[in-house]
Amino acid sequence: MSWARIMAPLSGGQGDPAALAAAVMLAEPFGAEVAGVYTPADVADVMPWMGEGFLGGVQTTALESLKEAAQAGEKNARRALESLSYAKLQFITLSTPVWAGLSAESRLSDIVVFGPEPARGRGPLAEAFQQMVADEQRPVLVAREGLKIGGVAAVAWDGGKEASRAARLALPLLEKASRVVILAAPKASARSFDPARLQAYYAARGVQSELDVTRETGDAAQLLLKAAQAAGADILVSGAFGHPRLQEFIFGGTTRTLLNSDGPSLFLSH
């Protein structure tokens, strides 16, 4: 298996260079294209707030300021992409409606790369992160410091739909890993499952893996993070568990813990 297009949403801010560097690191083993997608604040999103209560001159000034900020952000994002010494680069600027353009770009990308801040719900790309994982259900890499492709990959699995989907979609990454460890915490799960089944699935596809099954009880996310650290994992593959958008939190407790942790980089799929 292989990946051909790696997408990195860009904000024009300080996090862009690191996200792009991670995207290139991920793309290189596959010879994949890196698409830097500038994702500005959408003027259409603020227009409803500029209705009857705004004077015409105030509206115009506010819109011009937004346009200037978007132009400056685009310049910064383009500069960050062009500073990379990688052959297969593409720069894309989204226009209103930005959410629709971001969705369209992600649907023709194999994986979407974010830095740690959007995953924690911070910064201008926080909503884009939620859109990619929860709405578009795209596989996402949360690239943290120490990211390494070809190192140790840990796969959190409980037999459920989300975890199994992530485990399957991560196969190209696992094929490049020096070591693959399947992590399971049966006593922290409400379902019954056999981790050896995933091990057999990987073996049939040429990926050798080890099992690390903890018999401890407690919070599943903390147990998985502890096991990933013990395994020296560079990347943790996990399903992303979510709630309907109308609820207060989009991501469930286990996923929120992983996103807010200081653990390894995350490969997530909802």
Side-chain angles (χ1 to χ4, degrees), residues 10-13 16 38-40 67-81 91-94:
L10 307 174
S11 69
D16 287 354
Y38 177 55
T39 309
K67 290 179 181 178
E68 290 175 6
Q71 290 170 356
E74 179 180 353
K75 184 178 180 180
N76 291 339
R78 188 183 294 274
R79 185 184 300 119
L81 185 85
F91 185 80
I92 298 165
T93 298
L94 300 179

Side-chain angles (χ1 to χ4, degrees), residues 26-72:
L26 186 60
E28 282 180 327
F30 304 99
E33 175 188 72
V34 171
V37 180
Y38 177 55
T39 309
D42 199 333
V43 173
D45 291 340
V46 299
M47 285 299 292
W49 302 96
M50 297 184 178
E52 298 176 358
F54 278 78
L55 299 175
V58 175
Q59 273 187 329
T60 302
T61 301
L63 290 174
E64 287 301 320
S65 296
L66 284 173
K67 290 179 181 178
E68 290 175 6
Q71 290 170 356

Side-chain angles (χ1 to χ4, degrees), residues 154-159 163 181-189 191 193-198 210-217 220 223-225 227-228 236-237:
V155 182
W157 194 66
D158 63 359
V181 184
I182 297 171
L183 308 179
K187 292 189 176 180
S189 174
R191 60 170 55 92
F193 62 98
D194 180 5
R197 293 194 63 189
L198 180 60
E210 307 167 23
L211 292 181
D212 183 351
V213 181
T214 178
R215 299 301 175 186
E216 295 183 49
T217 59
L223 292 174
L224 291 170
L225 288 169
L236 174 61
V237 176

Side-chain angles (χ1 to χ4, degrees), residues 148-156 170-183 202 207-212 227-228 231-238 264-265 267:
K148 181 181 178 183
I149 310 301
V152 179
V155 182
L171 260 172
L173 189 65
L174 303 182
E175 289 172 347
K176 304 294 183 183
S178 62
R179 180 178 172 224
V180 176
V181 184
I182 297 171
L183 308 179
Y202 283 154
V207 174
Q208 301 305 310
S209 60
E210 307 167 23
L211 292 181
D212 183 351
D234 300 292
I235 295 176
L236 174 61
V237 176
S238 174
S265 296
F267 178 99

Side-chain angles (χ1 to χ4, degrees), residues 96-178:
T96 189
V98 171
W99 65 269
L102 187 63
S103 293
E105 291 297 334
S106 75
R107 291 167 189 168
L108 295 178
S109 299
D110 294 301
I111 186 168
V112 184
V113 177
F114 286 92
E117 292 305 291
R120 290 189 166 105
R122 302 172 187 166
L125 292 176
E127 188 171 349
F129 176 80
Q130 295 171 0
Q131 179 184 348
M132 292 296 95
V133 178
D135 293 343
E136 291 300 320
Q137 299 184 1
R138 302 303 300 141
V140 165
L141 178 72
V142 179
R144 293 172 171 160
E145 187 176 354
L147 171 67
K148 181 181 178 183
I149 310 301
V152 179
V155 182
W157 194 66
D158 63 359
K161 179 178 68 175
E162 291 86 353
S164 297
R165 186 168 188 267
R168 294 193 309 271
L169 291 175
L171 260 172
L173 189 65
L174 303 182
E175 289 172 347
K176 304 294 183 183
S178 62

